[in-house]
Structure formats: C-alpha cells, structure tokens
C-alpha cells in the first residue's frame, strides 16, 4: 500500500433543486418539514372546499364554524 487512497479528494455531488434526486439526499428534518407543509396544505384546501360546499347548500352556521376554524 502506497497511501494514495489518502490523497483522494472526496467528490461532492450537487443536485439541482428541481431534480427528483435532490429530494432523496435531504436531511430527515427537511423531509419532515416538507411532509408537514404538504399535510397542512392538504387540510387547508380540504377545509376551504368543505366551506364552499356548506355555503352552496345553505348550511351557513356550519360554514361559519369551519371558517373560524381556518382563521384560528
């Protein structure tokens, strides 16, 4: 062994932020953050669609309750 393995510079791979491979190389905290934001967004969109449905079918008190829940 001549020790040449010690002189090699580690190769750092950089991925473009829109690349699907970039998601696989994130830390666990970042993945958890993106998952939490996705879940919160889905719940918010679902609540808005539910509120719109309730207003359309003249359930105003229930729609107001959902609206206040979204606000808080």
């Amino acid at each position: 062994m001549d020790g040449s393995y010690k002189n090699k510079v580690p190769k750092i791979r950089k991925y473009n932020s829109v690349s699907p491979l970039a998601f696989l190389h994130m830390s666990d905290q970042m993945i958890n953050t993106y998952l939490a934001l996705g879940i919160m967004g889905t719940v918010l969109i679902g609540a808005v669609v539910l509120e719109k449905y309730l207003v359309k079918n003249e359930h105003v008190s229930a729609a107001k309750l959902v609206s206040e829940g979204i606000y808080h």
Side-chain angles (χ1 to χ4, degrees):
M1 294 251 162
D2 60 356
S4 63
Y5 64 92
K6 293 180 182 178
N7 297 332
K8 291 186 178 178
V9 177
K11 190 175 185 180
I12 299 173
R13 294 183 182 176
K14 292 185 178 181
Y15 295 99
N16 192 355
S17 62
V18 295
S19 170
L21 294 176
F23 187 74
L24 297 175
H25 294 279
M26 287 185 193
S27 67
D28 289 339
Q29 292 176 343
M30 287 296 292
I31 291 174
N32 290 341
T33 301
Y34 278 119
L35 288 175
L37 287 173
I39 290 169
M40 287 173 40
T42 302
V43 168
L44 180 62
I45 290 171
V48 169
V49 169
L50 175 65
E51 182 184 1
K52 185 176 178 181
Y53 172 79
L54 290 171
V55 169
K56 181 178 171 184
N57 291 326
E58 299 178 1
H59 298 287
V60 178
S61 60
K64 184 176 179 184
L65 181 68
V66 171
S67 176
E68 289 176 1
I70 292 172
Y71 179 74
H72 293 293

